[in-house]
Amino acid sequence: MQFKEIIGQERVKQQLVQTVKENRISHAQLFLSPAGSGAVPLAIAYAQYINCLNKGENDSCGECSSCRKYERLIHPDLHFSYPFFASASVKTAVDVLEEWRGMLMQDPYFDIDIWRSKLDAANKQANINIAECHDIIKKLSYKAFEAETKVLIMWLPEYLDKAGNALLKLIEEPPANTLFILIAQSQDQILTTILSRTQIVKIPKLSSEEVTGFLLNSSGLNENQAIDYSFLADGNLIEAKALAADTQSDSSGTFTAWLRMGFGNKVPDLIEFTDEAAKWGRENQKNFLKYGVNYLRECCLILSGAEELVKLPPLTFETAKKLSTHVLTLPMAEAIIGELEKAHYHIERNANPKILFLDVSLQLVKIIKFKTLPAGTQYIYN
């Protein structure tokens, strides 16, 4: 894995390269990042650059013996630790190393749900147990086999629980030329004793432009679809890829048209829309409702006078601004969000989509056309 293969994160890449050039690599680092931002490939590319035999100015060479082994994740001085489901045949992370390597080689952007799908989870909870901690101590006590620096990449140290205390001495006083990279998503869930012994590297979520560019180059979507899915994913490349896998028509245009039908009390058009929406399939229906919730939350920002915080692309922003100025009020937007969230909940539980979308359509007429808010909802303004 080379830095050039990773989507975005140019500032972080430069920061990591600089630590190697200036010989100030902290022996224990915590990569803190939201899901889908590329922390795992960044950690691998960083380790590969450190051990590259012919380093370039900003990246590893990709051709030396060390880089070739890193590319296949088989370097003897590169170790991984991650949550797994312990059983009689699976006692430490090494027992599912082939599955781990296979997933990483297929796509280095993944989350715990994708990882779980590669394993026999049954009803067990994933964790990093005490046996795994002892195995880490054993592996890192050996001398480096061929690289200058041994590297341990631990994904999701949040799953360590109290077993992580067994690693404290090793993290604080590691063997010579040993690098720990912990990759976490929630700082609050990590043992404070471990947190205090690491240098935090904050990795931001990807920008909408970076996700849009990736979708346009890799998935064959048109520009409107790529922008819509980037907005929905909110910097999470895993989510963006999942959305692109079930390509749907322009969410922005379809959703605003649905709102206009409700405002115009166009019941025949709403019935026609309901028939069409019922054919989309459950995942596309959920994505459409999720888009609507996010879109209306942006409208709430406009209605609250916080336009500078809105993340919508220019054309969609102009449409949202017109809707917010001439059609929606803040109570109406909040009431519609409530209806869409309930609909999303019921779609997940296999509700009849035709009945459900017709019901939500009629609720839109009540809220937007007749300004009738759901019973029990009260708004108090100064």
Side-chain angles (χ1 to χ4, degrees):
M1 178 68 65
Q2 292 179 280
F3 285 124
K4 66 182 181 182
E5 300 172 42
I6 300 167
I7 310 301
Q9 306 297 2
E10 298 304 322
R11 182 191 62 79
V12 179
K13 292 175 188 176
Q14 190 57 43
Q15 176 185 336
L16 295 175
V17 167
Q18 205 64 29
T19 64
V20 180
K21 290 180 177 178
E22 297 174 3
N23 195 27
R24 52 179 181 85
I25 303 169
S26 175
H27 69 269
Q29 301 183 37
L30 174 66
F31 284 18
L32 193 60
S33 70
S37 59
V40 173
L42 272 171
I44 297 171
Y46 183 39
Q48 179 170 324
Y49 184 70
I50 289 170
N51 284 314
C52 177
L53 303 177
N54 187 26
K55 297 179 183 63
E57 183 65 22
N58 296 305
D59 212 341
S60 53
C61 70
E63 298 175 356
C64 67
S65 60
S66 175
C67 284
R68 289 199 300 270
K69 289 172 184 175
Y70 262 90
E71 290 292 340
R72 291 180 289 161
L73 305 174
I74 59 171
H75 197 289
D77 296 312
L78 172 64
H79 307 284
F80 291 101
S81 182
Y82 34 80
F84 60 93
F85 303 94
S87 66
S89 59
V90 179
K91 294 181 172 59
T92 64
V94 173
D95 295 327
V96 287
L97 182 58
E98 287 306 309
E99 291 85 346
W100 173 261
R101 282 175 175 158
M103 179 184 66
L104 271 175
M105 295 293 287
Q106 183 179 355
D107 190 346
Y109 291 83
F110 57 91
D111 57 19
I112 191 66
D113 292 328
I114 295 173
W115 174 229
R116 185 184 289 113
S117 70
K118 307 292 182 184
L119 303 174
D120 180 17
N123 291 321
K124 300 190 230 17
Q125 294 290 328
N127 71 342
I128 301 174
N129 59 19
I130 189 66
E132 171 65 7
C133 293
H134 290 159
D135 190 55
I136 290 171
I137 295 169
K138 179 182 175 182
K139 283 186 293 193
L140 296 185
S141 66
Y142 299 141
K143 289 184 177 180
F145 186 75
E146 62 180 58
E148 184 177 335
T149 304
K150 297 194 300 290
V151 180
L152 174 80
I153 297 175
M154 178 180 284
W155 180 57
L156 298 184
E158 297 96 317
Y159 286 80
L160 268 170
D161 293 328
K162 292 181 180 178
N165 287 320
L167 297 173
L168 295 182
K169 182 171 175 54
L170 184 66
I171 293 175
E172 191 167 10
E173 299 176 8
N177 299 321
T178 301
L179 171 62
F180 283 88
I181 302 178
L182 284 69
I183 301 169
Q185 295 173 8
S186 175
Q187 183 174 339
D188 295 337
Q189 294 177 23
I190 302 172
L191 291 170
T192 54
T193 47
I194 288 180
L195 199 60
S196 64
R197 288 165 169 80
T198 59
Q199 181 185 68
I200 297 177
V201 178
K202 292 190 176 180
I203 300 172
K205 66 182 180 183
L206 296 170
S207 68
S208 295
E209 292 76 15
E210 288 168 339
V211 177
T212 300
F214 170 80
L215 292 175
L216 286 173
N217 293 330
S218 65
S219 59
L221 299 177
N222 62 46
E223 188 172 359
N224 285 339
Q225 289 170 333
I227 290 172
D228 284 348
Y229 290 154
S230 172
F231 169 65
L232 269 176
D234 191 25
N236 185 336
L237 201 66
I238 302 166
E239 182 73 13
K241 288 179 178 181
L243 291 167
D246 284 314
T247 305
Q248 182 189 321
S249 58
D250 172 29
S251 295
S252 172
T254 306
F255 183 72
T256 52
W258 192 28
L259 292 180
R260 290 192 184 98
M261 291 176 208
F263 179 69
N265 195 16
K266 299 177 180 178
V267 176
D269 290 343
L270 288 170
I271 293 173
E272 185 178 338
F273 168 82
T274 297
D275 291 338
E276 185 64 30
K279 301 173 185 175
W280 288 346
R282 189 171 67 170
E283 290 306 311
N284 280 332
Q285 290 161 357
K286 285 164 57 182
N287 291 340
F288 176 75
L289 292 169
K290 182 181 175 184
Y291 180 90
V293 170
N294 290 343
Y295 182 93
L296 287 169
R297 284 175 179 162
E298 301 297 306
C299 289
C300 288
L301 290 174
I302 296 172
L303 289 162
S304 301
E307 291 185 12
E308 67 278 4
L309 300 177
V310 176
K311 298 181 296 183
L312 295 170
L315 291 177
T316 309
F317 172 75
E318 288 304 317
T319 304
K321 196 170 180 180
K322 289 176 184 176
L323 278 169
S324 303
T325 304
H326 303 294
V327 178
L328 296 174
T329 63
L330 195 57
M332 289 161 61
E334 292 173 351
I336 296 169
I337 287 172
E339 294 298 325
L340 297 180
E341 287 177 338
K342 283 193 293 184
H344 188 280
Y345 173 87
H346 291 299
I347 284 289
E348 279 192 324
R349 283 148 186 81
N350 292 319
N352 184 306
K354 187 174 287 190
I355 295 173
L356 185 138
F357 272 97
L358 180 57
D359 178 66
V360 177
S361 297
L362 296 177
Q363 293 299 326
L364 288 181
V365 174
K366 285 176 63 179
I367 294 168
I368 303 177
K369 176 66 178 176
F370 298 108
K371 298 178 174 55
T372 304
L373 298 178
T377 305
Q378 298 180 357
Y379 299 88
I380 301 174
Y381 297 96
N382 294 326

